[in-house]
Amino acid sequence: MTPANVKIPLLVLALSGWGCSEREMSAPDPAAPLLGSQTQSSSGVPASAASTREFIDRYCVFCHDERLATAGLRLDLVDFARVAEHPEVLEKVVRKLRTGIMPPAEMPQPSVAERGAMLAWLESSLDVAAAANPNPGRTETLRRLNRTEYQNAIRDLLALDIDATSLLPADESGHGFDNVNVGDLSPSLLDRYISAAQKISALAVGGAVSSIQSEVIRVPADLTQERHIAGLPIGTRGGVSVSYTFPRDGEYDIQIRLARNRVGDIGGLRSREPQPLELLLDREVVETFSVMRPDGPDHSVVDKNFKIRLAVTAGPHDVGVTFPQQSSALLETERQPLQAHYNEIRHPRLTPAIYQVSITGPYGPGGADDTPSRRRIFVCRPDQAGGESEELACAREILAKLMRRAYRRPVTDAEVERPLAFYRQGRLQGGFDEGIGQALAAVLMNPEFLFRVELEPDQLAAGAVYRISDIELASRLSFFLWSSIPDDELLDVAARGELSRPDQLERQARRMLADPRSNNLASNFAGQWLQLRNLGAFTPNPRLYPDFDDNLRQAFREETERFMDSVLREDRSVLELLAADYTFLNERLAKHYGIPGVYGSRFRRVSLADDSERGGILRQGSILAVTSYATRTSPVLRGMWVLDNIYGAPPSPPPANVPALDETSVSASLPMRERLAAHRNNPVCASCHNIIDPVGFALENFDAVGRWRDHDGDNGPVDVAGGLPGVGEFDGVAGLEAGLLSRPELFAGRVTEKLLTFALGRGVEYYDAPVIRKIIREAATDDYRFSSLILGIVRSQPFQMRTSL
């Protein structure tokens, strides 16, 4: 059943907000798109306030008048001769009409020419009104660094990689991103930031260690360790490799534990032959242990002595634990063997695996003379003969440079005096380095570091629009593109008051996009826009999907992040995200997709055949997995994901009193389309699900873990007939992609809205719509290149301006 031939009763339509009439319907040709890729005012139909009023009266007012006021919206009161007085209502109308959501498919439809002319006039009128009275919106005055921003800021400020997830709690998401609801700092969260500052300061400076520290590196329980793991030497299998920062020179205990099953037995101990286990430091073998099957039932004896004390210098080192690959014999079976081996009941390990590595120390600690952090911090060293005055001058120089980067602005001598008080206290307790460490901790606890601050100029009238300072603009730009603090070059340009010059602003933005730190857009921005972060919680039923493991989960995410980064790095059209003839694969993922000729754990770009089932993001396992349940696919989740994140027509949330579909009342053996028919047969649900479900049905060739399937078990061929509002009917993922690409301005517009939300740290509002349309019009002339969208945002009023309270 498709959206074009479903009849919905009057009462249900009135309640649901999608329609309202039982009169004779004249549905449009479902195969004909409602609009071309660009609406032009020269459509042959005159457009004016009068003709727009007539259009609304003919196609909209029946539902949106005093009698029904469907969805709380009344259009009979709108004066189209005064568009500037109704921007919020009319922007809703524009979105519904442009995406084809309205009028409902069962209601009389305007012609393509009528719809195009009316939209062109209405959008043009709204844009003129917005230009006459600009409203850039308002970002929060105080915005706390979220967990990702904090981690990146520490990396760029101190040349120190930390794991912020172990130091700070997760941030609340708003409008799909975790940099929106960050205006508060509760007492408990403040305690976490204070504790983090003290730990980071000691680690960066190499300060005195008050006690022995221990850290445990745990391997995911569902990681298969039968093949090579990326980051470890070729010729090894399994294990783990991490970059670990040792706080001081000294001796450290490193202990290894092997993976066990539920009863405590070590998995994979099938052979009596000893299996060597290597401990590596900076990719060099420092110790080899021997894994041997015990003679008795006590498996604790196998790894109880896998412990060594090593002398290690302070700073970051690569710590690795792995097994030399002893055999590469192929299993000869009629069916392709499973790739996943971690569950001792269903798919047991073939060889031993690592469970965790613990690092404890330092014992007999020494100093910390030469580390990347110390090289970054100690820009000077006092001469011993110079006495206390030279030490103080050097401390002042160190802190002034740190504070300028940390506070993201020039600092005064008076401001430097505040952390100098902590320096003096620490200097008395433990010398020059200890003083710098305590002063650094004070800087990291300071609100000027923890918060991004945007203050209004003095004596500014309420509601006035003003341009933010160059210093504030520098922070906006760096946190948008890098999710981190500005570098020295950006700060220097801002301090000279040159950043707001259009040529300088574009030059800096392009420089920052070329910097490796702009990978933040692929990992942080795309991870939230495309919901890749949800992969960590995706654990399909092992009985139904026995070949899924953490290796595949990680490969899913890496494929999409590398694909996204390639489009950004090569400045390709964002439309290529939907239709590409290449992707990024390693052997594990290639086997999952059924693509031959890809070997090894290394990801590489792979060109795809013309008839390949892979390509754009809609065909990638990451997206298909996060829009599925543990036991089956979900056309509803997939349809909502596409409509919201790709098409820009997010469905309304279900009414509060509508219960979830009771799947126990529907046979699980039925085809998915029939199982979900209850949604479309329920009058309360039908108005939304007649739009959502057909989009998801088009993706049914992919199962819950992203594998291609032509048949659905005993139910015969998979039915992938689908549809998209404003586009019409089609079949399968290829038809869905073609439908989306036939409306490129909608996809590019949705990407721009998501980027703008991420850039500003606030939701997109109705008054942002004219700016977004301008960005899209300009980007269309450049084939919607990624840089054209980003630079359009950077040049925009919402990015450079603010409204006062």
Side-chain angles (χ1 to χ4, degrees):
M1 188 179 294
T2 61
N5 56 19
V6 179
K7 294 185 181 293
I8 305 177
L10 169 64
L11 178 59
V12 173
L13 288 169
L15 290 173
S16 66
W18 294 107
C20 56
S21 176
E22 289 183 317
R23 60 192 175 188
E24 283 296 311
M25 311 295 182
S26 57
D29 177 1
L34 296 182
L35 289 173
S37 63
Q38 293 291 324
T39 302
Q40 302 292 336
S41 59
S42 58
S43 59
V45 179
S48 63
S51 62
T52 301
R53 175 77 267 171
E54 181 182 350
F55 180 103
I56 295 295
D57 288 343
R58 183 184 307 166
Y59 298 110
C60 307
V61 167
F62 188 88
C63 297
H64 300 288
D65 62 359
E66 181 181 9
R67 183 173 58 91
L68 291 179
T70 305
L73 180 65
R74 288 188 60 181
L75 298 179
D76 56 325
L77 301 178
V78 175
D79 183 356
F80 287 93
R82 300 176 179 271
V83 166
E85 296 178 4
H86 315 280
E88 185 171 5
V89 170
L90 294 180
E91 289 294 356
K92 292 180 182 178
V93 172
V94 166
R95 182 179 290 269
K96 296 293 187 182
L97 288 172
R98 181 162 286 283
T99 57
I101 295 293
M102 290 292 164
E106 301 76 22
M107 301 294 290
Q109 299 290 319
S111 67
V112 172
E114 285 181 299
R115 187 187 294 260
M118 196 279 276
L119 275 171
W121 180 86
L122 190 52
E123 288 178 342
S124 176
S125 300
L126 287 166
D127 292 348
V128 169
N133 295 282
N135 182 2
R138 180 179 175 82
T139 55
E140 294 291 338
T141 300
L142 296 174
R143 292 179 54 213
R144 173 178 50 82
L145 300 190
N146 66 22
R147 194 161 65 176
T148 301
E149 293 168 342
Y150 186 88
Q151 176 171 303
N152 293 344
I154 294 297
R155 176 201 65 199
D156 295 340
L157 178 66
L158 304 175
L160 180 66
D161 288 321
I162 63 167
D163 177 15
T165 61
S166 65
L167 299 172
L168 301 171
D171 299 288
E172 179 185 350
S173 180
H175 298 279
F177 295 96
D178 62 5
N179 64 345
V180 175
N181 297 329
V182 287
D184 64 324
L185 185 63
S186 65
S188 61
L189 184 56
L190 176 61
D191 287 342
R192 297 288 291 271
Y193 275 109
I194 292 174
S195 175
Q198 293 169 338
K199 291 178 181 178
I200 291 167
S201 172
L203 195 59
V205 173
V209 179
S210 58
S211 62
I212 299 298
Q213 306 293 321
S214 184
E215 185 164 345
V216 176
I217 298 132
R218 191 156 291 164
V219 179
D222 58 348
L223 180 75
T224 297
Q225 300 187 43
E226 310 300 329
R227 297 290 185 90
H228 178 256
I229 299 292
L232 289 166
I234 299 297
T236 63
R237 66 147 193 95
V240 61
S241 176
V242 297
S243 178
Y244 182 81
T245 300
F246 292 84
R248 294 177 71 89
D249 298 347
E251 293 184 333
Y252 293 82
D253 283 344
I254 301 179
Q255 185 171 17
I256 303 164
R257 290 198 64 201
L258 301 179
R260 288 163 162 78
N261 59 23
R262 293 180 179 178
V263 297
D265 292 341
I266 294 173
L269 287 179
R270 300 185 174 196
S271 172
R272 286 287 182 183
E273 296 295 321
Q275 165 77 66
L277 170 62
E278 296 177 344
L279 172 64
L280 300 92
L281 188 67
D282 296 326
R283 299 182 67 85
E284 295 291 334
V285 178
V286 294
E287 184 68 20
T288 301
F289 304 100
S290 184
V291 180
M292 298 186 66
R293 183 175 174 180
D295 294 328
D298 184 9
H299 280 228
S300 65
V301 300
V302 175
D303 58 359
K304 72 175 184 179
N305 294 319
F306 290 0
K307 183 177 181 179
I308 185 175
R309 180 168 292 186
L310 289 175
V312 186
T313 58
H317 294 273
D318 290 329
V319 178
V321 178
T322 187
F323 301 89
Q325 182 75 52
Q326 290 188 311
S327 172
S328 57
L330 297 177
L331 295 177
E332 295 185 7
T333 60
E334 293 183 0
R335 302 179 62 183
Q336 176 176 304
L338 294 177
Q339 301 296 309
H341 294 281
Y342 65 87
N343 186 303
E344 291 300 310
I345 298 175
R346 295 189 176 88
H347 23 78
R349 298 187 186 277
L350 306 178
T351 51
I354 304 301
Y355 169 62
Q356 71 178 31
V357 179
S358 60
I359 302 174
T360 306
Y363 297 95
D369 293 331
D370 186 28
T371 68
S373 295
R374 287 179 63 84
R375 290 194 294 271
R376 178 69 59 84
I377 294 169
F378 291 98
V379 294
C380 62
R381 296 295 300 186
D383 190 340
Q384 296 294 332
E388 185 176 340
S389 62
E390 184 165 334
E391 286 189 352
L392 188 61
C394 181
R396 184 175 281 109
E397 180 181 351
I398 289 171
L399 292 174
K401 288 184 178 294
L402 282 173
M403 292 169 66
R404 182 177 186 271
R405 291 288 310 281
Y407 298 171
R408 306 172 287 278
R409 60 172 177 79
V411 294
T412 64
D413 292 341
E415 289 176 310
V416 176
E417 287 298 322
R418 297 166 190 163
L420 270 177
F422 290 91
Y423 159 77
R424 293 186 179 95
Q425 180 180 345
R427 170 68 180 82
L428 293 174
Q429 296 173 353
F432 181 79
D433 287 7
E434 179 65 22
I436 294 296
Q438 291 200 19
L440 174 59
V443 170
L444 298 181
M445 296 178 199
N446 195 294
E448 292 274 7
F449 172 68
L450 294 178
F451 285 87
R452 294 167 56 188
V453 183
E454 292 184 349
L455 297 175
E456 300 168 6
D458 294 335
Q459 299 178 344
L460 198 66
V465 173
Y466 70 96
R467 187 174 295 276
I468 62 175
S469 71
D470 282 48
I471 292 295
E472 292 167 342
L473 183 59
S475 279
R476 282 198 181 187
L477 188 61
S478 66
F479 280 98
F480 173 29
L481 301 182
W482 293 346
S483 287
S484 186
I485 57 177
D487 62 4
D488 287 331
E489 180 175 339
L490 184 61
L491 270 180
D492 289 343
V493 173
R496 293 195 301 266
E498 298 175 359
L499 186 59
S500 54
R501 282 172 31 195
D503 59 331
Q504 271 287 4
L505 184 59
E506 179 171 341
R507 192 180 76 82
Q508 289 298 321
R510 289 190 181 277
R511 177 185 69 85
M512 296 171 71
L513 283 173
D515 190 283
R517 282 172 286 188
S518 67
N519 178 260
N520 163 73
L521 292 171
S523 58
N524 189 20
F525 165 71
Q528 298 182 80
W529 166 41
L530 302 178
Q531 300 174 10
L532 303 183
R533 289 185 175 183
N534 295 347
L535 275 171
F538 177 68
T539 304
N541 188 312
R543 296 178 181 175
L544 300 175
Y545 306 101
D547 212 17
F548 186 90
D549 55 11
D550 191 65
N551 312 62
L552 194 57
R553 184 186 291 114
Q554 293 178 32
F556 278 173
R557 179 160 187 165
E558 186 158 356
E559 175 194 21
T560 303
E561 288 185 354
R562 284 178 178 264
F563 179 66
M564 181 81 178
D565 190 60
S566 74
V567 175
L568 168 66
R569 198 74 52 204
E570 299 167 26
D571 198 16
R572 295 172 175 267
S573 169
V574 294
L575 303 182
E576 197 163 296
L577 293 173
L578 295 179
D581 59 358
Y582 67 94
T583 190
F584 292 83
L585 304 172
N586 66 357
E587 181 177 357
R588 179 73 175 88
L589 188 55
K591 283 188 175 181
H592 185 72
Y593 287 167
I595 296 176
V598 180
Y599 302 102
S601 62
R602 177 182 62 86
F603 269 81
R604 80 293 311 260
R605 181 171 176 151
V606 177
S607 297
L608 302 171
D610 292 340
D611 60 348
S612 176
E613 297 144 358
R614 304 297 162 176
I617 56 176
L618 296 180
R619 300 168 182 254
Q620 294 180 2
S622 58
I623 306 305
L624 298 163
V626 298
T627 54
S628 296
Y629 292 122
T631 57
R632 64 168 176 85
T633 61
S634 174
V636 176
L637 292 181
R638 288 177 174 178
M640 292 177 63
W641 188 93
V642 171
L643 288 170
D644 184 8
N645 294 292
I646 304 299
Y647 199 56
S652 302
N657 59 345
V658 176
L661 179 65
D662 183 7
E663 295 202 20
T664 61
S665 64
V666 182
S667 173
S669 64
L670 291 174
M672 183 58 66
R673 191 178 295 265
E674 294 183 27
R675 292 166 67 182
L676 294 183
H679 277 142
R680 300 184 302 283
N681 293 336
N682 183 336
V684 179
C685 306
S687 60
C688 289
H689 282 279
N690 285 330
I691 295 173
I692 297 170
D693 294 3
V695 181
F697 288 144
L699 296 171
E700 274 296 283
N701 275 133
F702 299 101
D703 70 6
V705 293
R707 293 176 303 191
W708 182 269
R709 57 181 182 175
D710 291 308
H711 290 78
D712 184 16
D714 296 332
N715 294 317
V718 177
D719 185 355
V720 292
L724 190 66
V727 172
E729 297 177 353
F730 46 72
D731 285 328
V733 63
L736 176 57
E737 289 170 340
L740 293 168
L741 291 171
S742 72
R743 306 293 304 282
E745 78 286 353
L746 292 183
F747 175 56
R750 195 54 170 168
V751 175
T752 304
E753 289 177 344
K754 295 291 185 178
L755 282 167
L756 189 63
T757 300
F758 183 73
L760 297 179
R762 65 166 176 83
V764 171
E765 302 292 347
Y766 69 91
Y767 43 78
D768 298 312
V771 169
I772 293 169
R773 284 193 289 269
K774 181 176 184 290
I775 293 172
I776 297 307
R777 284 194 299 269
E778 294 175 352
T781 64
D782 196 25
D783 194 28
Y784 300 108
R785 291 185 185 276
F786 215 123
S787 64
S788 65
L789 300 183
I790 290 175
L791 291 174
I793 289 172
V794 170
R795 299 185 191 111
S796 70
Q797 287 182 348
F799 194 81
Q800 298 190 35
M801 304 183 79
R802 193 164 178 257
T803 303
S804 66
L805 283 178

